[in-house]
Amino acid sequence: MTEILGNLSSNAIMHDFLHNLMIGEITWLTGIFWLAIAAIISMIGGAIGGILLAGKDLGYELAALLGGLFGPAGVIPVAMIGLVILKLV
Amino acid sequence: MLEVGWYSLKLFFKGKLLRNPGYFYRQVTFGVIIGLLLLLGLEKTGLNLAIVIGISSLLTGMAMPFLLKDIKMK
């Protein structure tokens, strides 16, 4: 594992990417990475919210499914706008 | 799950999914404002970007079903 990571970080683009990730610098690559992370986490959050809201009425699976669809609808714009603001301000 | 998501996304962009689009856009805008305030506020506290993104997207994601609970679909 450490060997793979070592090889990865000897690649210049990968090295910059990991470095920027560590120090919290926002570039195109890390921005897209954070956007994907935010989308995945928001699906999980949406599923939790859906279960809390309607788990008893709709059944847990359907509630989680619908919540998982609603979550990213709100979070993807948040992540895009937020990252741009953090980058510029 | 991905199939359902993809199918509803296609219907949404054709304008055939929602019965009341104005309500949807208003509630999503509301959620986006909450999420942005959360994201920027957490960033101001000087936490690591990973933690900031994680907390704000988890909480905003949890809030969205509550905001969109009265949505009507066709």
Side-chain angles (χ1 to χ4, degrees):
Chain A
M1 189 67 196
T2 49
E3 199 177 325
I4 296 171
L5 281 177
N7 285 340
L8 273 182
S9 58
S10 65
N11 179 335
I13 296 172
M14 207 58 205
H15 179 266
D16 282 351
F17 173 69
L18 289 174
H19 180 70
N20 285 334
L21 216 54
M22 289 297 179
I23 62 173
E25 179 73 29
I26 298 162
T27 62
W28 278 108
L29 272 179
T30 55
I32 292 167
F33 175 81
W34 288 127
L35 194 62
I37 296 287
I40 293 167
I41 294 175
S42 72
M43 273 185 174
I44 298 167
I48 296 170
I51 288 171
L52 287 179
L53 180 70
K56 288 203 182 87
D57 304 327
L58 290 178
Y60 291 99
E61 217 163 289
L62 182 62
L65 192 82
L66 286 175
L69 292 179
F70 288 154
V75 172
I76 289 177
V78 168
M80 282 187 191
I81 301 169
L83 287 173
V84 170
I85 291 175
L86 290 183
K87 172 76 182 170
L88 295 181
V89 173
Chain B
M1 169 160 179
L2 284 176
E3 232 167 88
V4 176
W6 176 238
Y7 186 64
S8 358
L9 207 65
K10 272 198 291 192
L11 278 178
F12 176 75
F13 283 115
K14 278 190 233 159
K16 284 180 184 162
L17 181 65
L18 304 172
R19 212 176 292 168
N20 188 355
Y23 171 81
F24 175 78
Y25 290 122
R26 203 185 61 221
Q27 296 296 79
V28 168
T29 312
F30 198 57
V32 168
I33 291 169
I34 294 175
L36 269 181
L37 288 177
L38 198 61
L39 184 79
L40 298 177
L42 281 172
E43 175 69 23
K44 281 276 172 241
T45 61
L47 287 169
N48 194 340
L49 191 63
I51 300 170
V52 172
I53 299 255
I55 293 176
S56 69
S57 38
L58 187 68
L59 288 181
T60 315
M62 276 176 74
M64 288 314 291
F66 290 90
L67 285 169
L68 291 172
K69 66 180 172 183
D70 291 327
I71 204 159
K72 301 277 196 307
M73 297 201 190
K74 280 182 186 170

